[in-house]
Amino acid sequence: MKKGILERLDAGEVVIGDGGYVLQLERRGYVKAGHFTPEAAVEHPEAVRQLHREFMRAGADVLETFTFYSSDDKLELSGNVTNITGEQINEAACKLAREVANEGNALVAGSVSQTPCYLKSRNEEEVKAIFKKQLDFFMKKDVDFMIAEYFAHGEEAVWAVQVLKTSGKPVAATLCISPEGDMNGVSPGDCAVRLVKAGAQIVGVNCHLDPMCCLKTVKLMKKALEDAHLKAHLMIQPLGFHTPECNHRGYISLPEYPFSLESRAMNRWDMQKYAREAYNAGIRYIGGCCGFEPYHIRALAEELAPERGLLPPASQKHGLWGSSLATQTKPWVKARSTREYWENLRPASGRPLCPSMATPQD
């Protein structure tokens, strides 16, 4: 029997989450940008399966079902598909995640996310009914735990947690908010307190901002929980892009979103630094969201290998800190086979006259 998510976290283990699916699959030609709905789980299961497999091989302990934005109201709004239902997507996504997770020691997390219904009506009964419909599919497929992710409004996330808690399975909740708080002006700390009181055992942030910004937000959550004498595990799954100038709306306000973000991509050494700082902040569920590729997840797993007691299978093809370059015949490349070289490198953009910052657009 695999240890559950709370068993692992309660024992002090580091849990590595997976990375971003919608942007990766858009780049690979399986997801249409705009509403970014996950019909690829039905249309191209081999693509979703392969990405699951790559993330797990890189070290992920959790595979999230590819059910982001799969509520029926979102699918209807997107217009991307007319012959595929939310039920079909949820069922296919659960099957794919479980199939790959069973190839290793990974857990499957059923994922729900923000709904158009909330912004349209703010009707608690209607919004909860959408989450309940998705939850029923997750229970049918017996996922290991639930994640309410990518919520810009803490209130909607609380409603999601209240529904997911009825499953009796562990519940994690992550908000896509900045240190400034959610879109209703509620602080990160207050959001965290409300989520834990609603029943979430794991709280944190995901998406919208880079690791350094997300770390600030989770630290505010941690302090508020401590002040309120509440206990919960902390979780972080940030962007794989540098976004130091972002406002509280996150990277979607950057002029490069979504098709020119490559120049902002974090490298593997950035990821190792992020993993260490997250661990030092007391966060034990550490992963990524949009922009995170499998090699980024491998970097997290390699940085935290001393604490985890193992390296991921993908490290068989990767020398730690560039050590494989020691076999190079070109002396200037061979000289790059040390940790000191990569830790002190200041990467160039290679783009003449490229501005170092952009002006976010609301």
Side-chain angles (χ1 to χ4, degrees):
M1 294 289 293
K2 296 178 183 178
K3 288 194 293 183
I5 186 66
L6 294 181
E7 289 179 272
R8 300 183 191 203
L9 293 172
D10 287 344
E13 295 180 22
V14 176
V15 172
I16 301 294
D18 53 4
Y21 285 85
V22 289
L23 285 194
Q24 274 298 303
L25 290 169
E26 190 279 330
R27 290 173 173 180
R28 298 181 183 193
Y30 299 103
V31 165
K32 188 175 183 179
H35 289 288
F36 289 105
T37 51
E39 58 272 11
V42 176
E43 294 176 330
H44 301 285
E46 73 286 352
V48 179
R49 183 187 295 110
Q50 179 60 25
L51 192 50
H52 277 318
R53 189 169 285 130
E54 290 178 23
F55 280 129
M56 189 174 72
R57 175 175 165 78
D61 299 304
V62 175
L63 299 180
E64 291 190 38
T65 56
F66 187 45
T67 50
F68 174 81
Y69 275 166
S70 65
S71 60
D72 286 328
D73 61 334
K74 183 66 176 183
L75 294 172
E76 182 179 353
L77 177 66
S78 76
N80 287 341
V81 290
T82 58
N83 60 341
I84 297 177
T85 66
E87 177 178 358
Q88 289 174 299
I89 292 173
N90 283 287
E91 184 161 347
C94 288
K95 180 181 178 181
L96 289 168
R98 177 61 70 193
E99 176 187 331
V100 177
N102 285 346
E103 296 174 3
N105 192 38
L107 300 172
V108 174
S111 164
V112 301
S113 51
Q114 58 179 269
T115 66
C117 180
Y118 176 80
L119 292 179
K120 181 180 179 181
S121 69
R122 302 291 174 104
N123 185 299
E124 181 177 354
E125 184 177 342
E126 290 180 4
V127 173
K128 283 187 172 181
I130 291 172
F131 295 139
K132 178 62 167 60
K133 188 174 182 180
Q134 290 183 273
L135 174 61
D136 289 342
F137 297 131
F138 295 146
M139 292 300 292
K140 179 181 176 182
K141 292 299 182 180
D142 196 26
V143 300
D144 297 303
F145 69 103
M146 310 294 177
I147 296 181
E149 67 167 355
Y150 196 75
F151 284 90
H153 299 83
E155 179 181 57
E156 187 183 14
V158 166
W159 294 350
V161 169
Q162 290 170 342
V163 172
L164 297 181
K165 278 297 293 182
T166 64
S167 69
K169 293 180 181 288
V171 175
T174 55
L175 305 176
C176 53
I177 65 174
S178 77
E180 298 175 36
D182 76 353
M183 299 306 293
N184 288 330
V186 182
S187 71
D190 285 345
C191 285
V193 168
R194 295 178 190 184
L195 289 169
V196 173
K197 288 184 176 180
Q201 295 118 316
I202 307 166
V203 295
V205 296
N206 80 296
C207 207
H208 265 208
L209 291 162
D210 65 26
M212 297 306 107
C213 292
C214 288
L215 277 167
K216 292 177 183 178
T217 306
V218 178
K219 287 177 181 179
L220 292 172
M221 291 179 161
K222 179 182 180 183
K223 184 179 186 306
L225 291 173
E226 291 172 347
D227 291 345
H229 305 290
L230 294 172
K231 291 185 177 180
H233 296 289
L234 300 174
M235 175 177 176
I236 184 169
Q237 298 206 138
L239 293 177
F241 306 112
H242 293 284
T243 63
E245 73 275 54
C246 267
N247 59 17
H248 69 290
R249 292 185 183 275
Y251 80 135
I252 59 175
S253 66
L254 290 174
E256 297 94 337
Y257 174 87
F259 299 128
S260 294
L261 290 164
E262 286 83 355
S263 62
R264 293 176 172 270
M266 299 181 69
N267 62 40
R268 63 195 73 191
W269 319 120
D270 295 326
M271 293 300 181
Q272 295 208 202
K273 179 181 179 182
Y274 147 58
R276 183 53 55 192
E277 294 198 17
Y279 182 87
N280 290 342
I283 304 170
R284 293 296 178 266
Y285 190 138
I286 303 171
C289 199
C290 295
F292 263 72
E293 299 187 33
Y295 78 95
H296 290 137
I297 298 301
R298 180 180 64 187
L300 306 186
E302 289 181 346
E303 175 62 30
L304 298 173
E307 289 78 13
R308 287 162 52 81
L310 77 163
L311 286 168
S315 291
Q316 297 170 5
K317 296 294 185 179
H318 184 240
L320 300 183
W321 290 104
S323 60
S324 60
L325 297 180
T327 61
Q328 258 285 341
T329 56
K330 299 177 179 63
W332 62 92
V333 178
K334 186 174 183 177
R336 301 170 189 165
S337 62
T338 67
R339 175 172 182 162
E340 181 182 16
Y341 176 85
W342 295 110
E343 279 193 317
N344 293 312
L345 180 69
R346 297 178 62 190
S349 71
R351 293 178 177 270
L353 305 181
C354 179
S356 61
M357 297 284 186
T359 301
Q361 303 168 339
D362 290 329

